[in-house]
Amino acid sequence: MSAPLCIEDLRAWYGAAQVLHGVNLRIGEGEVVALVGRNGSGRSTLAKAIMGLVRCAGDVRYGDVQLIGLRPHRIARLGIGYVPETRDVFPALTVRENLLLGERKGTRFTLGDAYRLFPVLEERMSVKAGALSGGEQQMLSLARTLTGDPSLVVIDEPGEGLAPQVLAQVAACLATLRERGVAMLLIEERLTIASMLDARVAVMGHGAIQFDGTIGALAASEHVMRDWVSIG
Ligand SMILES: Nc1ncnc2c1ncn2[C@@H]1O[C@H](COP(=O)(O)OP(=O)(O)OP(=O)(O)O)[C@@H](O)[C@H]1O
Ligand SMILES: [Mg+2]
């Protein structure tokens, strides 16, 4: 079952440096929210804070559960999947081995589903993950997260460095996930995949949410676009 994510007054630090300064954000059941903003605005740090990977304070509730203070593996087990910027694959293992590592029994997303969504992974199932292209690694990383059967996926810059055709494939996969009721926090620099999915948009700037609304409302908000969103 999905549970809404509710973030209130979230602050985060690396050592003495505070990076998040009171983030408020809600993701409803099965909802897709795109988090955009400039380099260094704190988007990946928000992802890490949700996943228990950075020191933080405030409230991050998933359903009735307070995530702050929980270890990352406990957070994952609650049904929150994470695809980090670094594309989390084991380079020395084959594609198939990578997928089997993430798999949980009785999930709504099986190895067969992974191959159906990303046929290239089936073609390359015996290839070592380290030998895949960037796009293939992105797909593998996403598929690996899905075999853990998450209700919410936090996915950090999935389109980064991908050719347009591969990007469209990743977007199509995310659309399929949404149809299955999986909620998403989709981190991007611009609204590339977000606009394909017509996601709700939150704009991060200086470690806080500067705008939260539809893509149409954001486009009409010239000052938000000018001050907080990368153009071009
Ligand atoms: N491990 C770290 N140690 C110290 N400072 C960090 C660390 N990771 C990020 N920062 C700093 O925190 C701020 C926010 O970084 P974050 O990675 O969250 O930004 P971002 O919005 O994801 O941008 P991008 O992905 O383009 O780097 C930046 O000033 C960055 O230099
Ligand atoms: Mg980042």
Side-chain angles (χ1 to χ4, degrees):
M1 201 197 71
S2 317
L5 182 77
C6 188
I7 299 172
E8 279 172 11
D9 192 27
L10 177 64
R11 288 148 285 144
W13 294 263
Y14 295 106
Q18 185 170 357
V19 171
L20 299 185
H21 297 271
V23 171
N24 297 296
L25 186 68
R26 225 188 115 84
I27 302 179
E29 253 177 59
E31 191 179 19
V32 177
V33 176
L35 181 69
V36 301
R38 296 209 166 118
N39 296 130
S41 57
R43 296 160 302 150
S44 297
T45 303
L46 177 58
K48 290 180 206 164
I50 294 168
M51 300 312 300
L53 297 167
V54 63
R55 181 165 70 88
C56 52
D59 255 338
V60 180
R61 288 190 308 278
Y62 190 57
D64 296 334
V65 185
Q66 174 63 252
L67 302 187
I68 290 185
L70 295 186
R71 318 269 315 166
H73 71 274
R74 289 268 299 119
I75 294 172
R77 223 173 283 154
L78 291 170
I80 306 182
Y82 177 42
V83 185
E85 262 175 322
T86 46
R87 294 176 189 170
D88 204 6
V89 300
F90 294 99
L93 299 183
T94 66
V95 167
R96 187 163 183 280
E97 286 163 347
N98 265 277
L99 288 171
L100 288 174
L101 272 183
E103 194 179 36
R104 278 214 251 159
K105 296 295 164 217
T107 68
R108 68 188 132 174
F109 193 89
T110 62
L111 199 62
D113 282 331
Y115 290 151
R116 257 190 302 283
L117 271 178
F118 299 113
V120 70
L121 296 182
E122 184 163 26
E123 284 163 29
R124 314 212 71 190
M125 67 160 95
S126 305
V127 173
K128 295 238 188 320
L132 298 177
S133 73
E136 289 164 349
Q137 284 190 12
Q138 180 64 50
M139 293 184 222
L140 177 58
S141 180
L142 180 56
R144 216 164 78 74
T145 300
L146 296 179
T147 54
D149 201 24
S151 297
L152 168 69
V153 177
V154 176
I155 177 166
D156 199 348
E157 306 230 28
E160 180 78 356
L162 300 189
Q165 203 187 344
V166 183
L167 194 85
Q169 218 175 332
V170 171
C173 165
L174 297 181
T176 305
L177 282 185
R178 176 168 59 183
E179 282 163 24
R180 293 185 186 195
V182 178
M184 263 172 267
L185 180 64
L186 166 66
I187 298 175
E188 292 199 283
E189 192 177 341
R190 303 183 190 98
L191 295 162
T192 314
I193 296 177
S195 53
M196 299 183 204
L197 299 178
D198 198 25
R200 196 182 106 218
V201 188
V203 177
M204 174 83 86
H206 292 172
I209 302 299
Q210 306 290 346
F211 171 92
D212 190 335
T214 63
I215 289 183
L218 174 60
S221 222
E222 276 175 36
H223 71 283
V224 177
M225 289 298 288
R226 186 186 60 232
D227 295 345
W228 304 111
V229 181
S230 309
I231 317 259

